[in-house]
Amino acid sequence: MFTVVKTPRWFLLETSLVRSFGQEVKNNIWSSFGLRGSPVSAVWRCTGGGVRDVSTSTQLYGKSRGNPKKKEASEKKLSRHFVDYRRVKLVAGSGGKGACSFHSEPRKEWGGPDGGNGGDGGSIIIKADRFEKSLAQVVPVYRGEDGQSGGSKNCYGRNGRITYISVPLGTVVKEMGETVVDLAEHGQEYLAVFGGAGGKGNRFFLSNENRAPVTATQGMSGQERVLQLELRTMAHAGLVGFPNAGKSSLLRAISNARPAVAAYPFTTLNPHVGIVEYRDHEQVAVADIPGIIQGAHQNRGLGISFLRHIERCRFLLFVLDLLVPEPWTQLKHLCYELDQYEPGLSQRPQVIVANKMDLPEAREKLETLKSHVSQRVIPVSALTGENTEELILHLRELYDGYLQGCGEEKPIRW
C-alpha cells in the first residue's frame, strides 16, 4: 500500500528561493563574459540601439600573469648578502645533573642507590661546506644544547646534540688574532668548543664502604670561546688593479662570471670568482678583487678586508689602465701595497694585462709601458674582447706551472 504524503508549504517556499537565487548567480556569471540574453547584459545596451565599447578582459581586474624578465640585482644589493668576516661567541651546552634516588620495589626493602648520570652537553663544530659562498648565515652567538638530567632506575640523561656551523671553503678561524685552523677542504671539521660533562648520580658513588650514598653532582658548564672567522677567496688567479681599471669587464670577457660593470670607481664591492673552461675540461678559477688604492694596507678605501683575498691566489694578473698618464706607476703602487700587507706577496707568478686597447690613446702608451717593466705584457680590450685568447692561453701556462710546482699537493677543485 502507498501513502500520499503532502509536502509542507514552508519546504516548497525555501526550495523556490534556492532555485531563484541559483538562477540569479548563473545569470551574473554569464553576464561577466558579456553574453547576450542575460539580464545584466541588457543594462550595457545603449538606448540608441548600439552597444557601448566595454572591455570585459580579465586584465582589468587583476595583474597580468606573464613572465616578466627578472632584473639583475645591483652590486649594492649583492654586497649585503656577502660577508667575509664574522666575530662569533660560542657557548657549548652544559651537562645534566646526576640523580639521587634509591630503588623501591615490593619485598625489596634495601634496593640500594639507582640514580643515573646526567647527559653531556652538546659541542659546537665548524664545518667547511663548498655550497656556502658567504659568512652571512653565521650568527653572532651560538649556544649548544644542554644534556638532560639523570633519572631513577639507573637511567642516564640524553646527551645534547652537536651544533654544526657551515662556513665556505677558505675560511680561517682565528682567536685573539692568531690563526687556529684553516678550513680549505670540503667536509673539514674543527671542534671549536667542548660540551660540559654530565653530573654523576648516587649510583656512581656506591662502594663497599658506602652502601647508601646520597651524593649527586651537578653537570659541568660548557666551554666558551670568542672566535673570528675570515673568508679568503679560493681561486687560482687574482685580478689586481686600481679602481675602474676594467677588472670586472675582463672577468666577464674570459669567464662565466657576471659581476656588475659601471663607469665609476669601486663598482665591485665584493670578490667575484669566474671559471675559465678549456677544451680538455680543465677549469681555472679567476677572482675579481675589489679595487686597491694607495694606503690600502693601512685600511684605506676598501682596505685590508679585501687584501686578504689575494693571499689564496697562486698567481696574479695586474690589470693596468692605459688611459692614465703613467700606467707603469700603478704597478709599483700595487706591488708596494701587496708587500706591505704580506712580504713577498707581489713576487708570485704574474703577468701584466694592459687594458682598454680599443682606444687610440692606449695604443700609444703600450711600447712605453713595455720599456718600463720586466714582466710579460698582454694587451687586451675587455670591452671588445680583443686579444683575450692570448691571455687565456697564458693563464693555462701559469696554471700548468703551478701544478708542476705543487707536486703531490692537491690543487683547488671546483
Side-chain angles (χ1 to χ4, degrees), residues 77-385:
K77 292 183 179 180
L78 292 175
S79 63
R80 297 174 187 174
H81 304 285
F82 181 85
V83 179
D84 61 349
Y85 178 82
R86 280 294 195 201
R87 181 179 180 271
V88 294
K89 180 180 180 181
L90 307 179
V91 182
S94 302
K97 61 181 181 179
C100 180
S101 65
F102 290 87
H103 185 70
S104 177
E105 188 177 347
R107 295 182 300 276
K108 189 178 285 188
E109 185 177 357
W110 308 100
D114 64 348
N117 300 337
D120 298 335
S123 302
I124 300 179
I125 296 178
I126 302 176
K127 184 177 181 180
D129 188 357
R130 63 182 178 183
F131 299 104
E132 297 290 344
K133 302 301 180 184
S134 172
L135 296 176
Q137 77 285 352
V138 179
V139 297
V141 180
Y142 283 90
R143 297 186 181 275
E145 184 180 359
D146 297 335
Q148 292 184 354
S149 302
S152 58
K153 299 181 181 179
N154 296 321
C155 292
Y156 283 40
R158 183 173 62 86
N159 296 335
R161 290 177 296 181
I162 298 177
T163 302
Y164 288 92
I165 304 176
S166 298
V167 296
L169 298 181
T171 301
V172 178
V173 182
K174 292 185 176 182
E175 185 177 15
M176 303 296 293
E178 297 184 359
T179 301
V180 178
V181 66
D182 186 359
L183 303 176
E185 298 181 0
H186 176 68
Q188 185 178 355
E189 298 181 356
Y190 171 65
L191 183 57
V193 287
F194 293 91
K200 305 298 182 182
N202 63 339
R203 174 71 180 181
F204 178 81
F205 299 98
L206 178 64
S207 63
N208 293 332
E209 292 77 13
N210 187 4
R211 304 303 300 174
V214 293
T215 303
T217 60
Q218 299 288 333
M220 299 181 61
S221 300
Q223 189 180 6
E224 182 176 343
R225 297 175 71 181
V226 177
L227 301 176
Q228 295 84 34
L229 304 180
E230 294 183 1
L231 174 60
R232 300 175 182 178
T233 303
M234 300 283 292
H236 299 107
L239 298 176
V240 184
F242 276 76
N244 207 21
K247 300 183 297 298
S248 299
S249 301
L250 184 60
L251 186 64
R252 277 174 166 258
I254 66 176
S255 70
N256 58 355
R258 292 295 176 265
V261 175
Y264 52 85
F266 293 108
T267 307
T268 303
L269 299 179
N270 56 275
H272 294 273
V273 178
I275 304 299
V276 181
E277 298 183 359
Y278 294 89
R279 293 182 178 179
D280 57 350
H281 305 288
E282 193 67 58
Q283 295 181 346
V284 178
V286 182
D288 176 19
I289 309 299
I292 300 175
I293 65 174
Q294 299 184 27
H297 68 280
Q298 299 176 351
N299 212 18
R300 294 180 181 176
L302 296 179
I304 301 176
S305 59
F306 292 110
L307 274 174
R308 61 170 169 262
H309 292 277
I310 307 178
E311 296 182 42
R312 298 284 184 178
C313 300
R314 308 304 180 186
F315 32 90
L316 306 177
L317 305 179
F318 289 100
V319 183
L320 302 183
D321 185 4
L322 294 189
L323 296 183
V324 299
E326 296 181 352
W328 52 87
T329 59
Q330 289 187 349
L331 180 62
K332 296 181 180 179
H333 293 314
L334 291 173
C335 293
Y336 175 77
E337 295 298 331
L338 295 182
D339 290 335
Q340 290 298 315
Y341 175 73
E342 180 182 341
L345 184 58
S346 64
Q347 303 301 323
R348 296 183 180 181
Q350 58 189 258
V351 64
I352 298 177
V353 181
N355 194 17
K356 303 183 181 180
M357 291 301 299
D358 55 304
L359 301 177
E361 300 86 353
R363 298 182 180 274
E364 298 175 358
K365 299 178 183 177
L366 180 60
E367 297 299 330
T368 309
L369 174 63
K370 292 182 179 180
S371 63
H372 282 81
V373 298
S374 58
Q375 299 91 331
R376 179 177 177 177
V377 179
I378 299 179
V380 300
S381 174
L383 181 62
T384 62

